[in-house]
Amino acid sequence: MFEFDWLWVFLLTPLPLLLRWLLPRAKPLNSALKVPFYAALSHRDSGGQSNLFNLALLTLLWLLLICAAARPRWYGEPITQAGSARDLLVAVDISGSMETPDMLIGGRPAMRIDAVKQVVGDFVERRKGDRLGLVLFGTRAYLQAPLTYDRETVGTLLREAQIGFAGQGTAIGDAIGLSVKRLTQRPAEQRVLILLTDGANTAGEVSPLKAAQLAQQAGITVYTIGVGADEMVQPGLLGSRYGSRRINPSRDLDSKTLQAIAEETGGRYFRARNPRELAEIYAELDALEPVEQEAESYRPLKSLFFWPLGAALLLSGIWALAPLVTHLSHAGGRHSRTAVRGGRAQ
């Protein structure tokens, strides 16, 4: 839809006529500078047609300037965008133990971090409408992606995460503390943290339970996920079955603390022993924290003032240069005729 933002500017349309009628005529002044071709530049045919043409051109220029000053705009069709009042941070453990190959993907052993990237990546893609962020933690916790609607970037940063980048330890308390700090910087009706780890708190400056208390005071719901199989076969000599034994790769998982964190903040603790269970957990999280569908509508706006302004500048430039071009062409024609006559005289 086309409209003018400042319609009152069109009240200035008769201003040149009012000035012509109200102001006295200017008295002629003697020229202080003599230019040989000034008369040719300033001379305009006093005929009626020429005066009408100049008047029409000046009127058009004034109308174009009025249109530009009135701020013409084009409003596009309404666009509806889903909004959300939820801020959701995903904290992923990338300590050394996440390299343990006790997960099966496509029937083949895979590291825990690979299963996490696959399942959590799908979860991030489904959270359309939420502000998502990513925290990676090991010995230290780092904000890898701030809260954003750009789910594609969050997923890319998760896939690019490497084991050991944050150290070999596990700072669960620091990861929760960093998440609390980031989530409380922006107003939201619902703040959610999903923390995934395969071990116990072995590093950091803040204890997990103390960090959980801070999250509870800030109104943040924390869902904790303990990942890792309960049993795996450790190969024997030279990778053969001879001397192999069954071990519990999740013996260091502190389920008790993770459950206490969830209960303190009103969340839940989940146990993921394989990629299927991990996927089911994130599907349940989708149900526990559904995506908001509050619609926000806006109309794209495009300013068009530069079109009438550009046309006015172009026409005024042509109108100003026309006498000079005419003078030069006449002068060139006279010079050519003089040269021809001179040649014949010789």
Side-chain angles (χ1 to χ4, degrees), residues 47-160:
Q49 292 184 353
S50 179
N51 288 337
L52 289 176
F53 174 77
N54 292 333
L55 179 60
L57 183 58
L58 290 174
T59 302
L60 178 60
L61 290 175
W62 177 248
L63 292 177
L64 288 173
L65 292 177
I66 288 292
C67 289
R71 299 180 65 181
R73 293 183 174 185
W74 175 264
Y75 289 90
E77 294 298 325
I79 297 177
T80 302
Q81 183 178 14
S84 173
R86 180 183 284 102
D87 284 342
L88 194 152
L89 269 178
V90 180
V92 177
D93 185 352
I94 57 170
S95 61
S97 58
M98 290 293 288
E99 286 184 316
T100 305
D102 61 349
M103 296 285 165
L104 291 177
I105 299 179
R108 295 183 178 182
M111 294 187 298
R112 294 170 177 174
I113 189 63
D114 293 333
V116 169
K117 288 180 179 181
Q118 177 178 312
V119 175
V120 178
D122 293 339
F123 173 78
V124 168
E125 183 62 29
R126 293 195 301 269
R127 302 304 297 187
K128 185 177 181 180
D130 282 345
R131 285 186 292 265
L132 296 174
L134 177 64
V135 172
L136 301 177
F137 67 96
T139 305
R140 296 180 179 275
Y142 297 95
L143 181 68
Q144 190 71 359
L147 292 166
T148 177
Y149 287 110
D150 189 354
R151 294 172 290 115
E152 182 177 351
T153 298
V154 174
T156 299
L157 292 173
L158 174 63
R159 290 191 298 270
E160 293 177 350

Side-chain angles (χ1 to χ4, degrees), residues 226-303:
V227 63
D230 288 334
E231 185 181 88
M232 69 175 294
V233 177
Q234 189 175 44
L237 185 63
L238 299 178
S240 65
R241 294 184 178 180
Y242 180 76
S244 63
R245 59 194 179 96
R246 294 183 179 275
I247 62 172
N248 179 12
S250 299
R251 59 185 178 274
D252 295 329
L253 179 63
D254 190 356
S255 297
K256 183 178 179 180
T257 299
L258 295 177
Q259 186 171 0
I261 293 171
E263 291 177 353
E264 177 71 23
T265 60
R268 286 181 56 183
Y269 168 63
F270 301 93
R271 183 73 173 90
R273 299 171 180 82
N274 52 61
R276 179 182 57 80
E277 290 185 354
L278 186 60
E280 291 174 354
I281 290 170
Y282 276 96
E284 188 170 353
L285 288 172
D286 278 333
L288 291 172
E289 298 290 343
V291 176
E292 298 288 339
Q293 296 297 332
E294 298 176 359
E296 296 180 357
S297 181
Y298 70 95
R299 301 183 66 175
L301 173 64
K302 184 177 181 181
S303 182

Side-chain angles (χ1 to χ4, degrees), residues 27-57:
K27 297 180 179 180
L29 299 176
N30 295 327
S31 300
L33 179 65
K34 293 184 178 180
V35 180
F37 53 87
Y38 176 77
L41 290 179
S42 60
H43 175 70
R44 295 184 183 272
D45 188 0
S46 59
Q49 292 184 353
S50 179
N51 288 337
L52 289 176
F53 174 77
N54 292 333
L55 179 60
L57 183 58

